[in-house]
Amino acid sequence: MCLSAVDGFLLDVPDNEANRRAFGGPKDSSGKPGGFPQVRVVTLTETGTHSSIDARVGGYNSGERDPAVAMAASASGMLVLMDRGFPGVELWKAYIGAGAHLLLRARSCVARRPVRHLPDGTYLARMNLAGQKGAHPGGVLVRVIEYRVDGGGVIRLLTDLFDHDTYPAGELAVLYHERWEVESAYRQIKTFQRGRQEVLRSPTRSWCARKCGRIWSCTTA
């Protein structure tokens, strides 16, 4: 099973009114623009080779979950890692429906009520839409793995790999830390491929999207 990760990063684009309307950007405490407008790039990246399999480009305020959902079909047959900003019923159903498997970090409030405890200390629970009760039929059943690293805080992982004999909790915990490999891939894009060019030269929305597309396509070669 191919191991991949979904994450995102921001790129500055030229500061003009068209780009601010199209992409948005950070603002200061008074609501005034602070710095350049920015595009958000979300990728599906193979952790071993650092090859980008798919990517979506959106605005600063678009968030990462929606672009991640849009890439679900590209993850068929893969085990996909994501950080705790991604878990959600829509995303879960999209990836499982596409034939992918998931290993996602989750906040303490997500799927917190055990439905059934497994022999290895993990448990099954339901992840539901915001505001739904634990037994709501709109949710999804997940396996919850909890552990600590060097006495730190509890790390909670959600997965659809329910068979604790075939997929031991310890092995999945080790695999999850491969998610950081995506940061090395992003370093290639943001530091080496762009060189000294800190702001994309493309002055319009269409040119910025095409430029990001060319950067992504180079990582798949």
Side-chain angles (χ1 to χ4, degrees):
M1 195 185 318
C2 176
L3 189 64
S4 62
V6 170
D7 210 340
F9 59 93
L10 295 166
L11 291 173
D12 292 339
V13 297
D15 191 358
N16 57 53
E17 189 59 33
N19 282 340
R20 287 209 171 272
R21 287 197 306 269
F23 301 116
K27 296 181 179 180
D28 61 22
S29 58
S30 65
K32 295 181 180 179
F36 288 89
Q38 294 181 321
V39 295
R40 186 180 301 278
V41 183
V42 180
T43 73
L44 173 67
T45 302
E46 188 177 1
T47 58
T49 64
H50 296 172
S51 295
S52 292
I53 300 162
D54 199 351
R56 294 292 187 274
V57 179
Y60 174 82
N61 296 316
S62 64
E64 294 179 337
R65 187 183 297 173
D66 287 345
V69 171
M71 293 188 294
S74 298
S76 178
M78 302 177 185
L79 175 58
V80 186
L81 314 175
M82 300 186 204
D83 203 356
R84 55 188 170 186
F86 287 95
V89 172
E90 181 187 10
L91 180 141
W92 194 274
K93 290 182 176 179
Y95 277 78
I96 301 304
H101 296 286
L102 292 170
L103 186 60
L104 280 57
R105 189 171 179 181
R107 295 182 173 88
S108 60
C109 60
V110 180
R112 70 182 185 275
R113 297 178 180 176
V115 172
R116 180 162 65 92
H117 290 275
L118 301 177
D120 67 340
T122 64
Y123 61 88
L124 303 183
R126 293 194 68 82
M127 178 169 59
N128 297 287
L129 298 172
Q132 290 182 350
K133 295 182 178 180
H136 194 283
V140 293
L141 192 66
V142 303
R143 178 185 174 199
V144 182
I145 300 169
E146 297 181 328
Y147 62 98
R148 297 176 186 269
V149 177
D150 297 330
V154 174
I155 297 175
R156 302 178 73 250
L157 303 180
L158 310 181
T159 184
D160 66 302
L161 301 173
F162 294 159
D163 190 331
H164 60 277
D165 289 324
T166 305
Y167 305 104
E171 291 184 9
L172 292 178
V174 170
L175 279 179
Y176 177 73
H177 289 271
E178 292 295 309
R179 191 192 69 80
W180 292 103
E181 290 295 326
V182 75
E183 297 298 336
S184 296
Y186 291 165
R187 182 169 178 260
Q188 291 289 333
I189 295 172
K190 293 188 289 186
T191 303
F192 298 110
Q193 290 193 32
R194 288 194 302 160
R196 298 173 61 88
Q197 183 184 325
E198 296 182 1
V199 180
L200 295 182
R201 291 175 297 174
S202 312
T204 64
R205 176 179 180 178
S206 60
W207 274 102
C208 287
R210 286 160 60 186
K211 175 65 173 178
C212 289
R214 287 197 295 272
I215 290 175
W216 163 67
S217 65
C218 287
T219 68
T220 64

